[in-house]
Amino acid sequence: MQVVKTFELRNRRYLGSKRAVLPVIEQVVAALPVAPKTAADVFAGTGVVGQSLARAGLAVTVNDLLSSNTTVYRAFFGAEPVRSDRLAELVGQINDAPIATLPPNYFSTTFSGTYYNEDNSRLIGHYRTQIEKWHADGVLNDRERAVLIASLLYGMDKAAATVGHYDAFREGAAADARLVFGLPELEQYDVEHTVTRRDANQLVREHHWDLIYMDPPYNSRQYGDLYHVLDNVTDWQQGPVQFKARKMDRRHLKSDYCTTAAVPAFTDLIDAVDTSTIIMSYNDTGARGNARSAARLSDTDILGVLERRGRVEVVDVPHREFTTGKSAIGDIVERLFVCHVQTPPFAGSRSGAAEALPATASAAQSAGARSAARSAASRSATVPSATVQPAVVRSPLNYTGNKKRLVSEIIPLLPAPGVGHERFVDVFSGSMTVGMNSGYAQVAFNDVQVDVMGLGELFSHVPYPTIIAEVEAIIERYGLSDSQRHGYDAYGANSSNGLGRVNKDAYLRLRTDFNRMDSADRARPYYFFTLVVFGFNNQIRYNRSGEFNMPVGKRDFNSRVRKNLFDTVARMHRLQAELWTLDFRDVFGKLATTDLVYCDPPYLLGTAPYNEQNAWTVDDETDLLDGLAAFADRGGVFGLSNVLTHKGSEHDQLSDWAAEHGFVVHTLDYSYANSSYQRKDRNASREVLITNWTEG
């Protein structure tokens, strides 16, 4: 029998391993003013940070969603006795087993010729089968079973024909050399540790730790897909696989941190943690490499969320990144964000609905915070100090003609806050896109559609997690689809065909119940928002009886909608918002000359769906133009969005009015022709912004 070699916990190829960052993490922990006694590594990965904390004498909770990882933790951190001599004997039997005598098995028939050759595939399957037999026969206790599975996984990892993960294999590169298995080098600890396999956002709601370390995924690469082979062997359910990479169904392991929902997920996590110190690893991949490697959280996102819980320091640790083979980025900077927590978990977050403002810091706040963080950090941080304009927030409401693509052109043509103007008044606010992105702290949103302004109230005053919880409860109550959680395949649908067929009946029941609902019902805004989410193109329309009558759409409450909702709630919570439901004529009576007035009325040359039952008339247009001219005469400043040409028609009244008063007509570089799905001529409109103000 051969001598069985040993391996350490760190001897793995793993995307984002923190081996190089460990010395700095240890320095940060050692420098804390109060030495922590308990800690959690909530996205543990290889587990090396948890091991470092355990070696420092802390009682550590090591958590991950992958069964292969948590089984390895049970081997290294478990308290149950391990009979090393007995395990060495069993591993020796495997290393000496004559492969020629081993029959085909699940692993060899599934994976032979991919990551491993036929012989090694048979050996892997044989070893895994023997582990289960030994455990069932009482030869192994639970921890010893975990130790031998770790032995198997580390041996597989060392020999796999991959670049360190199992998203793909290198054709014809499977090693011919026989796999040789070792045993983990186990340590004795003075305190007991805990291993969990939980969603981190839920786990942190249930415990207090003195220190929480977090290393969430950085980009779109789902770890459940990257290490599916190791999980397959660990679970040993011998189920079906698919695609060339031989993947199991991994949808239940999809992480929001790898999607556009990363910022909401991160905010929810930080709001809920009950701890004195947060240490977070993240790096500045930014948009370098390919799209899959682009970071999902920006420095602004991270600082803005952490600073709401306490004082933040930033430590930079330059090192070379792990490359997957196709997206080399070069030398990057791993950031350690150290938050000295000064506030308790936000009210409600312990039960899953954080009563907190899910707001990231404004650009100016973030720039100042970054500067302070750099001077306080133990290493010089390299976060850019320049103030960057906040990104355009896209509303989850998709009004026809909304200004999400034009707002970045419109706002620079209007006076900035502080240039004699204190409040931005969005007279026909609709999706609230322009008001939210105006740059003004005081914004008055007005719309005659009461339900829309009800959503404005919701977005302004209710925390994002609460809205999510309410909407998800409605989705579950009516049996609507949840593609973010279950994927399209679970509904027999795909992204192209969409989910309209799946949701139609449930959507119609929801729509009927909404139309019967009292206007004062507290649930009405949540029902309305859910209708908009599942309705055609996220649009809004009513019939002559005032009932919402938009048909079902193809999409559901997916990550894009959630991201837009989060950004909208975050922005609205930062504003001093007023919500009005006035006829535009009455708005003029509330205006001061220090207000900046913006109007995006229904266009006389085209009727949008939400305006079908109260079509905008020539009289309405005349009253609006007269009101704006009168406001300008008394020293007010305005901006008016409209079209001068549309489908071959000319808006002569508007052209003549602008010329008569000497107003400035700015042509904007976007056509709303794509709002009509039947037209072939997509360049027929001339979109303009008319102002009575020019800079200087």
Side-chain angles (χ1 to χ4, degrees), residues 558-590:
N558 56 32
S559 60
R560 176 187 59 80
V561 179
R562 289 170 187 257
K563 174 65 163 56
N564 291 344
L565 172 64
F566 173 83
D567 290 344
T568 295
V569 173
R571 183 64 59 83
M572 293 289 282
H573 273 75
R574 289 207 301 271
L575 301 177
Q576 300 172 41
E578 301 173 61
L579 286 304
W580 304 340
T581 55
L582 302 173
D583 182 279
F584 72 88
R585 299 168 184 84
D586 297 324
V587 170
F588 285 110
K590 296 172 65 70

PDB file of all heavy atoms in Angstrom, residues 558-590:
ATOM      1  N   ASN A 558     -38.777  40.009 -13.318  1.00  0.00           N
ATOM      2  CA  ASN A 558     -37.435  39.506 -13.558  1.00  0.00           C
ATOM      3  C   ASN A 558     -36.382  40.458 -12.985  1.00  0.00           C
ATOM      4  O   ASN A 558     -36.698  41.487 -12.386  1.00  0.00           O
ATOM      5  CB  ASN A 558     -37.211  39.272 -15.055  1.00  0.00           C
ATOM      6  CG  ASN A 558     -37.470  40.524 -15.873  1.00  0.00           C
ATOM      7  OD1 ASN A 558     -37.253  41.637 -15.423  1.00  0.00           O
ATOM      8  ND2 ASN A 558     -37.958  40.340 -17.097  1.00  0.00           N
ATOM      9  N   SER A 559     -35.123  40.104 -13.186  1.00  0.00           N
ATOM     10  CA  SER A 559     -34.041  40.882 -12.579  1.00  0.00           C
ATOM     11  C   SER A 559     -33.978  42.307 -13.127  1.00  0.00           C
ATOM     12  O   SER A 559     -33.626  43.239 -12.401  1.00  0.00           O
ATOM     13  CB  SER A 559     -32.698  40.176 -12.790  1.00  0.00           C
ATOM     14  OG  SER A 559     -32.420  40.015 -14.168  1.00  0.00           O
ATOM     15  N   ARG A 560     -34.332  42.491 -14.400  1.00  0.00           N
ATOM     16  CA  ARG A 560     -34.307  43.849 -14.967  1.00  0.00           C
ATOM     17  C   ARG A 560     -35.320  44.740 -14.265  1.00  0.00           C
ATOM     18  O   ARG A 560     -35.017  45.875 -13.876  1.00  0.00           O
ATOM     19  CB  ARG A 560     -34.588  43.796 -16.460  1.00  0.00           C
ATOM     20  CG  ARG A 560     -34.678  45.175 -17.119  1.00  0.00           C
ATOM     21  CD  ARG A 560     -35.132  45.075 -18.566  1.00  0.00           C
ATOM     22  NE  ARG A 560     -36.416  44.439 -18.700  1.00  0.00           N
ATOM     23  CZ  ARG A 560     -37.583  45.077 -18.489  1.00  0.00           C
ATOM     24  NH1 ARG A 560     -37.596  46.356 -18.113  1.00  0.00           N
ATOM     25  NH2 ARG A 560     -38.716  44.436 -18.636  1.00  0.00           N
ATOM     26  N   VAL A 561     -36.547  44.250 -14.096  1.00  0.00           N
ATOM     27  CA  VAL A 561     -37.577  45.042 -13.428  1.00  0.00           C
ATOM     28  C   VAL A 561     -37.188  45.310 -11.977  1.00  0.00           C
ATOM     29  O   VAL A 561     -37.361  46.414 -11.457  1.00  0.00           O
ATOM     30  CB  VAL A 561     -38.937  44.329 -13.502  1.00  0.00           C
ATOM     31  CG1 VAL A 561     -40.009  45.142 -12.774  1.00  0.00           C
ATOM     32  CG2 VAL A 561     -39.362  44.116 -14.949  1.00  0.00           C
ATOM     33  N   ARG A 562     -36.639  44.280 -11.313  1.00  0.00           N
ATOM     34  CA  ARG A 562     -36.229  44.454  -9.917  1.00  0.00           C
ATOM     35  C   ARG A 562     -35.127  45.507  -9.808  1.00  0.00           C
ATOM     36  O   ARG A 562     -35.117  46.315  -8.868  1.00  0.00           O
ATOM     37  CB  ARG A 562     -35.756  43.120  -9.345  1.00  0.00           C
ATOM     38  CG  ARG A 562     -36.882  42.113  -9.131  1.00  0.00           C
ATOM     39  CD  ARG A 562     -36.337  40.729  -8.805  1.00  0.00           C
ATOM     40  NE  ARG A 562     -37.372  39.733  -8.762  1.00  0.00           N
ATOM     41  CZ  ARG A 562     -37.894  39.218  -7.643  1.00  0.00           C
ATOM     42  NH1 ARG A 562     -37.438  39.618  -6.475  1.00  0.00           N
ATOM     43  NH2 ARG A 562     -38.850  38.312  -7.695  1.00  0.00           N
ATOM     44  N   LYS A 563     -34.183  45.470 -10.740  1.00  0.00           N
ATOM     45  CA  LYS A 563     -33.108  46.466 -10.721  1.00  0.00           C
ATOM     46  C   LYS A 563     -33.678  47.869 -10.926  1.00  0.00           C
ATOM     47  O   LYS A 563     -33.302  48.813 -10.214  1.00  0.00           O
ATOM     48  CB  LYS A 563     -32.106  46.143 -11.821  1.00  0.00           C
ATOM     49  CG  LYS A 563     -31.003  47.192 -12.023  1.00  0.00           C
ATOM     50  CD  LYS A 563     -30.099  47.310 -10.815  1.00  0.00           C
ATOM     51  CE  LYS A 563     -28.791  48.028 -11.137  1.00  0.00           C
ATOM     52  NZ  LYS A 563     -28.976  49.368 -11.709  1.00  0.00           N
ATOM     53  N   ASN A 564     -34.580  48.036 -11.885  1.00  0.00           N
ATOM     54  CA  ASN A 564     -35.181  49.343 -12.114  1.00  0.00           C
ATOM     55  C   ASN A 564     -35.985  49.803 -10.902  1.00  0.00           C
ATOM     56  O   ASN A 564     -35.977  50.985 -10.544  1.00  0.00           O
ATOM     57  CB  ASN A 564     -36.070  49.304 -13.354  1.00  0.00           C
ATOM     58  CG  ASN A 564     -35.274  49.148 -14.639  1.00  0.00           C
ATOM     59  OD1 ASN A 564     -34.066  49.355 -14.664  1.00  0.00           O
ATOM     60  ND2 ASN A 564     -35.947  48.770 -15.713  1.00  0.00           N
ATOM     61  N   LEU A 565     -36.697  48.864 -10.273  1.00  0.00           N
ATOM     62  CA  LEU A 565     -37.451  49.200  -9.065  1.00  0.00           C
ATOM     63  C   LEU A 565     -36.509  49.641  -7.954  1.00  0.00           C
ATOM     64  O   LEU A 565     -36.753  50.649  -7.281  1.00  0.00           O
ATOM     65  CB  LEU A 565     -38.279  47.995  -8.618  1.00  0.00           C
ATOM     66  CG  LEU A 565     -38.981  48.142  -7.259  1.00  0.00           C
ATOM     67  CD1 LEU A 565     -40.011  49.257  -7.299  1.00  0.00           C
ATOM     68  CD2 LEU A 565     -39.631  46.824  -6.843  1.00  0.00           C
ATOM     69  N   PHE A 566     -35.451  48.883  -7.753  1.00  0.00           N
ATOM     70  CA  PHE A 566     -34.505  49.241  -6.697  1.00  0.00           C
ATOM     71  C   PHE A 566     -33.927  50.634  -6.924  1.00  0.00           C
ATOM     72  O   PHE A 566     -33.878  51.468  -6.014  1.00  0.00           O
ATOM     73  CB  PHE A 566     -33.373  48.225  -6.621  1.00  0.00           C
ATOM     74  CG  PHE A 566     -32.292  48.630  -5.658  1.00  0.00           C
ATOM     75  CD1 PHE A 566     -32.431  48.382  -4.308  1.00  0.00           C
ATOM     76  CD2 PHE A 566     -31.162  49.302  -6.105  1.00  0.00           C
ATOM     77  CE1 PHE A 566     -31.453  48.792  -3.409  1.00  0.00           C
ATOM     78  CE2 PHE A 566     -30.177  49.705  -5.218  1.00  0.00           C
ATOM     79  CZ  PHE A 566     -30.322  49.455  -3.863  1.00  0.00           C
ATOM     80  N   ASP A 567     -33.449  50.895  -8.149  1.00  0.00           N
ATOM     81  CA  ASP A 567     -32.852  52.191  -8.449  1.00  0.00           C
ATOM     82  C   ASP A 567     -33.861  53.319  -8.242  1.00  0.00           C
ATOM     83  O   ASP A 567     -33.514  54.399  -7.739  1.00  0.00           O
ATOM     84  CB  ASP A 567     -32.338  52.212  -9.888  1.00  0.00           C
ATOM     85  CG  ASP A 567     -31.119  51.330 -10.081  1.00  0.00           C
ATOM     86  OD1 ASP A 567     -30.496  50.948  -9.070  1.00  0.00           O
ATOM     87  OD2 ASP A 567     -30.798  51.004 -11.241  1.00  0.00           O
ATOM     88  N   THR A 568     -35.106  53.071  -8.639  1.00  0.00           N
ATOM     89  CA  THR A 568     -36.145  54.087  -8.491  1.00  0.00           C
ATOM     90  C   THR A 568     -36.428  54.365  -7.023  1.00  0.00           C
ATOM     91  O   THR A 568     -36.497  55.527  -6.593  1.00  0.00           O
ATOM     92  CB  THR A 568     -37.432  53.627  -9.198  1.00  0.00           C
ATOM     93  OG1 THR A 568     -37.186  53.539 -10.604  1.00  0.00           O
ATOM     94  CG2 THR A 568     -38.574  54.596  -8.960  1.00  0.00           C
ATOM     95  N   VAL A 569     -36.595  53.313  -6.226  1.00  0.00           N
ATOM     96  CA  VAL A 569     -36.852  53.495  -4.796  1.00  0.00           C
ATOM     97  C   VAL A 569     -35.673  54.199  -4.125  1.00  0.00           C
ATOM     98  O   VAL A 569     -35.855  55.109  -3.304  1.00  0.00           O
ATOM     99  CB  VAL A 569     -37.145  52.132  -4.135  1.00  0.00           C
ATOM    100  CG1 VAL A 569     -37.238  52.273  -2.624  1.00  0.00           C
ATOM    101  CG2 VAL A 569     -38.443  51.549  -4.682  1.00  0.00           C
ATOM    102  N   ALA A 570     -34.459  53.784  -4.478  1.00  0.00           N
ATOM    103  CA  ALA A 570     -33.279  54.421  -3.899  1.00  0.00           C
ATOM    104  C   ALA A 570     -33.252  55.914  -4.204  1.00  0.00           C
ATOM    105  O   ALA A 570     -32.991  56.740  -3.326  1.00  0.00           O
ATOM    106  CB  ALA A 570     -32.016  53.743  -4.430  1.00  0.00           C
ATOM    107  N   ARG A 571     -33.508  56.278  -5.461  1.00  0.00           N
ATOM    108  CA  ARG A 571     -33.484  57.687  -5.856  1.00  0.00           C
ATOM    109  C   ARG A 571     -34.633  58.463  -5.207  1.00  0.00           C
ATOM    110  O   ARG A 571     -34.441  59.572  -4.692  1.00  0.00           O
ATOM    111  CB  ARG A 571     -33.555  57.789  -7.381  1.00  0.00           C
ATOM    112  CG  ARG A 571     -33.463  59.208  -7.933  1.00  0.00           C
ATOM    113  CD  ARG A 571     -32.110  59.865  -7.646  1.00  0.00           C
ATOM    114  NE  ARG A 571     -30.987  59.131  -8.193  1.00  0.00           N
ATOM    115  CZ  ARG A 571     -30.549  59.212  -9.445  1.00  0.00           C
ATOM    116  NH1 ARG A 571     -31.185  59.990 -10.316  1.00  0.00           N
ATOM    117  NH2 ARG A 571     -29.492  58.529  -9.825  1.00  0.00           N
ATOM    118  N   MET A 572     -35.826  57.889  -5.202  1.00  0.00           N
ATOM    119  CA  MET A 572     -36.986  58.598  -4.655  1.00  0.00           C
ATOM    120  C   MET A 572     -36.842  58.828  -3.152  1.00  0.00           C
ATOM    121  O   MET A 572     -37.288  59.850  -2.624  1.00  0.00           O
ATOM    122  CB  MET A 572     -38.264  57.823  -4.952  1.00  0.00           C
ATOM    123  CG  MET A 572     -38.637  57.761  -6.432  1.00  0.00           C
ATOM    124  SD  MET A 572     -39.200  59.341  -7.111  1.00  0.00           S
ATOM    125  CE  MET A 572     -40.877  59.400  -6.497  1.00  0.00           C
ATOM    126  N   HIS A 573     -36.212  57.880  -2.443  1.00  0.00           N
ATOM    127  CA  HIS A 573     -36.018  58.064  -1.011  1.00  0.00           C
ATOM    128  C   HIS A 573     -35.067  59.213  -0.706  1.00  0.00           C
ATOM    129  O   HIS A 573     -35.123  59.798   0.382  1.00  0.00           O
ATOM    130  CB  HIS A 573     -35.482  56.776  -0.384  1.00  0.00           C
ATOM    131  CG  HIS A 573     -36.544  55.814   0.041  1.00  0.00           C
ATOM    132  ND1 HIS A 573     -37.244  55.042  -0.853  1.00  0.00           N
ATOM    133  CD2 HIS A 573     -37.032  55.506   1.257  1.00  0.00           C
ATOM    134  CE1 HIS A 573     -38.104  54.291  -0.198  1.00  0.00           C
ATOM    135  NE2 HIS A 573     -37.999  54.549   1.078  1.00  0.00           N
ATOM    136  N   ARG A 574     -34.188  59.524  -1.630  1.00  0.00           N
ATOM    137  CA  ARG A 574     -33.234  60.608  -1.402  1.00  0.00           C
ATOM    138  C   ARG A 574     -33.837  61.985  -1.689  1.00  0.00           C
ATOM    139  O   ARG A 574     -33.287  62.998  -1.285  1.00  0.00           O
ATOM    140  CB  ARG A 574     -31.984  60.403  -2.269  1.00  0.00           C
ATOM    141  CG  ARG A 574     -31.105  59.255  -1.817  1.00  0.00           C
ATOM    142  CD  ARG A 574     -29.657  59.497  -2.218  1.00  0.00           C
ATOM    143  NE  ARG A 574     -29.493  59.655  -3.652  1.00  0.00           N
ATOM    144  CZ  ARG A 574     -29.277  58.653  -4.495  1.00  0.00           C
ATOM    145  NH1 ARG A 574     -29.242  57.419  -4.034  1.00  0.00           N
ATOM    146  NH2 ARG A 574     -29.117  58.871  -5.774  1.00  0.00           N
ATOM    147  N   LEU A 575     -34.939  62.001  -2.418  1.00  0.00           N
ATOM    148  CA  LEU A 575     -35.541  63.271  -2.808  1.00  0.00           C
ATOM    149  C   LEU A 575     -36.494  63.799  -1.744  1.00  0.00           C
ATOM    150  O   LEU A 575     -37.068  63.040  -0.967  1.00  0.00           O
ATOM    151  CB  LEU A 575     -36.318  63.101  -4.115  1.00  0.00           C
ATOM    152  CG  LEU A 575     -35.549  62.625  -5.346  1.00  0.00           C
ATOM    153  CD1 LEU A 575     -36.509  62.455  -6.527  1.00  0.00           C
ATOM    154  CD2 LEU A 575     -34.440  63.605  -5.703  1.00  0.00           C
ATOM    155  N   GLN A 576     -36.659  65.113  -1.738  1.00  0.00           N
ATOM    156  CA  GLN A 576     -37.774  65.724  -1.012  1.00  0.00           C
ATOM    157  C   GLN A 576     -38.921  65.806  -2.018  1.00  0.00           C
ATOM    158  O   GLN A 576     -39.065  66.779  -2.752  1.00  0.00           O
ATOM    159  CB  GLN A 576     -37.381  67.104  -0.504  1.00  0.00           C
ATOM    160  CG  GLN A 576     -36.185  67.107   0.448  1.00  0.00           C
ATOM    161  CD  GLN A 576     -35.726  68.509   0.769  1.00  0.00           C
ATOM    162  OE1 GLN A 576     -36.545  69.410   0.984  1.00  0.00           O
ATOM    163  NE2 GLN A 576     -34.416  68.715   0.801  1.00  0.00           N
ATOM    164  N   ALA A 577     -39.685  64.744  -2.064  1.00  0.00           N
ATOM    165  CA  ALA A 577     -40.677  64.596  -3.137  1.00  0.00           C
ATOM    166  C   ALA A 577     -42.058  65.050  -2.687  1.00  0.00           C
ATOM    167  O   ALA A 577     -42.491  64.760  -1.567  1.00  0.00           O
ATOM    168  CB  ALA A 577     -40.727  63.143  -3.601  1.00  0.00           C
ATOM    169  N   GLU A 578     -42.726  65.753  -3.575  1.00  0.00           N
ATOM    170  CA  GLU A 578     -44.143  66.070  -3.409  1.00  0.00           C
ATOM    171  C   GLU A 578     -44.896  65.333  -4.511  1.00  0.00           C
ATOM    172  O   GLU A 578     -44.447  65.291  -5.659  1.00  0.00           O
ATOM    173  CB  GLU A 578     -44.383  67.573  -3.529  1.00  0.00           C
ATOM    174  CG  GLU A 578     -43.618  68.419  -2.516  1.00  0.00           C
ATOM    175  CD  GLU A 578     -43.766  69.904  -2.805  1.00  0.00           C
ATOM    176  OE1 GLU A 578     -44.916  70.405  -2.776  1.00  0.00           O
ATOM    177  OE2 GLU A 578     -42.737  70.548  -3.108  1.00  0.00           O
ATOM    178  N   LEU A 579     -46.035  64.754  -4.166  1.00  0.00           N
ATOM    179  CA  LEU A 579     -46.829  63.998  -5.134  1.00  0.00           C
ATOM    180  C   LEU A 579     -48.196  64.658  -5.272  1.00  0.00           C
ATOM    181  O   LEU A 579     -48.962  64.743  -4.312  1.00  0.00           O
ATOM    182  CB  LEU A 579     -46.996  62.541  -4.681  1.00  0.00           C
ATOM    183  CG  LEU A 579     -45.802  61.576  -4.781  1.00  0.00           C
ATOM    184  CD1 LEU A 579     -45.251  61.506  -6.191  1.00  0.00           C
ATOM    185  CD2 LEU A 579     -44.718  61.880  -3.776  1.00  0.00           C
ATOM    186  N   TRP A 580     -48.485  65.156  -6.471  1.00  0.00           N
ATOM    187  CA  TRP A 580     -49.740  65.845  -6.737  1.00  0.00           C
ATOM    188  C   TRP A 580     -50.555  65.077  -7.778  1.00  0.00           C
ATOM    189  O   TRP A 580     -49.984  64.382  -8.630  1.00  0.00           O
ATOM    190  CB  TRP A 580     -49.488  67.253  -7.287  1.00  0.00           C
ATOM    191  CG  TRP A 580     -48.623  68.145  -6.434  1.00  0.00           C
ATOM    192  CD1 TRP A 580     -48.354  68.023  -5.115  1.00  0.00           C
ATOM    193  CD2 TRP A 580     -47.929  69.316  -6.889  1.00  0.00           C
ATOM    194  NE1 TRP A 580     -47.536  69.029  -4.694  1.00  0.00           N
ATOM    195  CE2 TRP A 580     -47.254  69.845  -5.763  1.00  0.00           C
ATOM    196  CE3 TRP A 580     -47.809  69.966  -8.111  1.00  0.00           C
ATOM    197  CZ2 TRP A 580     -46.479  70.998  -5.844  1.00  0.00           C
ATOM    198  CZ3 TRP A 580     -47.033  71.114  -8.201  1.00  0.00           C
ATOM    199  CH2 TRP A 580     -46.377  71.623  -7.073  1.00  0.00           C
ATOM    200  N   THR A 581     -51.874  65.244  -7.717  1.00  0.00           N
ATOM    201  CA  THR A 581     -52.758  64.655  -8.749  1.00  0.00           C
ATOM    202  C   THR A 581     -53.676  65.750  -9.291  1.00  0.00           C
ATOM    203  O   THR A 581     -54.899  65.644  -9.257  1.00  0.00           O
ATOM    204  CB  THR A 581     -53.592  63.498  -8.158  1.00  0.00           C
ATOM    205  OG1 THR A 581     -54.311  63.962  -6.998  1.00  0.00           O
ATOM    206  CG2 THR A 581     -52.715  62.325  -7.770  1.00  0.00           C
ATOM    207  N   LEU A 582     -53.049  66.799  -9.815  1.00  0.00           N
ATOM    208  CA  LEU A 582     -53.782  67.981 -10.258  1.00  0.00           C
ATOM    209  C   LEU A 582     -53.919  68.027 -11.776  1.00  0.00           C
ATOM    210  O   LEU A 582     -53.046  67.542 -12.508  1.00  0.00           O
ATOM    211  CB  LEU A 582     -53.055  69.246  -9.800  1.00  0.00           C
ATOM    212  CG  LEU A 582     -52.829  69.402  -8.285  1.00  0.00           C
ATOM    213  CD1 LEU A 582     -51.944  70.617  -8.023  1.00  0.00           C
ATOM    214  CD2 LEU A 582     -54.166  69.540  -7.564  1.00  0.00           C
ATOM    215  N   ASP A 583     -54.985  68.652 -12.240  1.00  0.00           N
ATOM    216  CA  ASP A 583     -55.053  69.061 -13.632  1.00  0.00           C
ATOM    217  C   ASP A 583     -53.918  70.056 -13.868  1.00  0.00           C
ATOM    218  O   ASP A 583     -53.625  70.893 -13.008  1.00  0.00           O
ATOM    219  CB  ASP A 583     -56.409  69.714 -13.914  1.00  0.00           C
ATOM    220  CG  ASP A 583     -56.554  70.129 -15.374  1.00  0.00           C
ATOM    221  OD1 ASP A 583     -56.024  71.205 -15.734  1.00  0.00           O
ATOM    222  OD2 ASP A 583     -57.179  69.377 -16.138  1.00  0.00           O
ATOM    223  N   PHE A 584     -53.267  69.963 -15.026  1.00  0.00           N
ATOM    224  CA  PHE A 584     -52.092  70.817 -15.243  1.00  0.00           C
ATOM    225  C   PHE A 584     -52.413  72.292 -15.084  1.00  0.00           C
ATOM    226  O   PHE A 584     -51.546  73.097 -14.703  1.00  0.00           O
ATOM    227  CB  PHE A 584     -51.480  70.536 -16.620  1.00  0.00           C
ATOM    228  CG  PHE A 584     -52.280  71.049 -17.780  1.00  0.00           C
ATOM    229  CD1 PHE A 584     -52.110  72.337 -18.262  1.00  0.00           C
ATOM    230  CD2 PHE A 584     -53.216  70.244 -18.409  1.00  0.00           C
ATOM    231  CE1 PHE A 584     -52.844  72.814 -19.334  1.00  0.00           C
ATOM    232  CE2 PHE A 584     -53.947  70.703 -19.487  1.00  0.00           C
ATOM    233  CZ  PHE A 584     -53.773  71.997 -19.957  1.00  0.00           C
ATOM    234  N   ARG A 585     -53.661  72.681 -15.360  1.00  0.00           N
ATOM    235  CA  ARG A 585     -54.041  74.092 -15.225  1.00  0.00           C
ATOM    236  C   ARG A 585     -53.934  74.548 -13.776  1.00  0.00           C
ATOM    237  O   ARG A 585     -53.569  75.693 -13.484  1.00  0.00           O
ATOM    238  CB  ARG A 585     -55.452  74.301 -15.751  1.00  0.00           C
ATOM    239  CG  ARG A 585     -55.627  73.949 -17.231  1.00  0.00           C
ATOM    240  CD  ARG A 585     -57.098  73.893 -17.631  1.00  0.00           C
ATOM    241  NE  ARG A 585     -57.304  73.480 -19.006  1.00  0.00           N
ATOM    242  CZ  ARG A 585     -57.345  72.211 -19.413  1.00  0.00           C
ATOM    243  NH1 ARG A 585     -57.194  71.231 -18.529  1.00  0.00           N
ATOM    244  NH2 ARG A 585     -57.535  71.914 -20.681  1.00  0.00           N
ATOM    245  N   ASP A 586     -54.256  73.629 -12.851  1.00  0.00           N
ATOM    246  CA  ASP A 586     -54.178  73.973 -11.431  1.00  0.00           C
ATOM    247  C   ASP A 586     -52.733  74.009 -10.934  1.00  0.00           C
ATOM    248  O   ASP A 586     -52.437  74.658  -9.926  1.00  0.00           O
ATOM    249  CB  ASP A 586     -54.984  72.962 -10.612  1.00  0.00           C
ATOM    250  CG  ASP A 586     -56.468  72.994 -10.970  1.00  0.00           C
ATOM    251  OD1 ASP A 586     -56.977  74.088 -11.255  1.00  0.00           O
ATOM    252  OD2 ASP A 586     -57.102  71.917 -10.977  1.00  0.00           O
ATOM    253  N   VAL A 587     -51.849  73.309 -11.617  1.00  0.00           N
ATOM    254  CA  VAL A 587     -50.446  73.324 -11.213  1.00  0.00           C
ATOM    255  C   VAL A 587     -49.875  74.732 -11.319  1.00  0.00           C
ATOM    256  O   VAL A 587     -49.103  75.173 -10.456  1.00  0.00           O
ATOM    257  CB  VAL A 587     -49.626  72.341 -12.077  1.00  0.00           C
ATOM    258  CG1 VAL A 587     -48.126  72.524 -11.824  1.00  0.00           C
ATOM    259  CG2 VAL A 587     -50.032  70.908 -11.788  1.00  0.00           C
ATOM    260  N   PHE A 588     -50.252  75.466 -12.379  1.00  0.00           N
ATOM    261  CA  PHE A 588     -49.690  76.804 -12.585  1.00  0.00           C
ATOM    262  C   PHE A 588     -49.986  77.728 -11.415  1.00  0.00           C
ATOM    263  O   PHE A 588     -49.220  78.645 -11.123  1.00  0.00           O
ATOM    264  CB  PHE A 588     -50.207  77.399 -13.895  1.00  0.00           C
ATOM    265  CG  PHE A 588     -49.563  76.814 -15.117  1.00  0.00           C
ATOM    266  CD1 PHE A 588     -50.275  75.988 -15.969  1.00  0.00           C
ATOM    267  CD2 PHE A 588     -48.237  77.079 -15.410  1.00  0.00           C
ATOM    268  CE1 PHE A 588     -49.684  75.432 -17.090  1.00  0.00           C
ATOM    269  CE2 PHE A 588     -47.634  76.527 -16.529  1.00  0.00           C
ATOM    270  CZ  PHE A 588     -48.363  75.700 -17.372  1.00  0.00           C
ATOM    271  N   GLY A 589     -51.098  77.468 -10.711  1.00  0.00           N
ATOM    272  CA  GLY A 589     -51.434  78.298  -9.558  1.00  0.00           C
ATOM    273  C   GLY A 589     -50.561  78.024  -8.348  1.00  0.00           C
ATOM    274  O   GLY A 589     -50.583  78.797  -7.383  1.00  0.00           O
ATOM    275  N   LYS A 590     -49.778  76.931  -8.354  1.00  0.00           N
ATOM    276  CA  LYS A 590     -48.920  76.571  -7.227  1.00  0.00           C
ATOM    277  C   LYS A 590     -47.458  76.927  -7.462  1.00  0.00           C
ATOM    278  O   LYS A 590     -46.608  76.675  -6.602  1.00  0.00           O
ATOM    279  CB  LYS A 590     -49.022  75.054  -6.958  1.00  0.00           C
ATOM    280  CG  LYS A 590     -50.393  74.585  -6.523  1.00  0.00           C
ATOM    281  CD  LYS A 590     -50.472  73.076  -6.465  1.00  0.00           C
ATOM    282  CE  LYS A 590     -49.572  72.464  -5.399  1.00  0.00           C
ATOM    283  NZ  LYS A 590     -50.054  72.739  -4.026  1.00  0.00           N
TER     284      LYS A 590
END
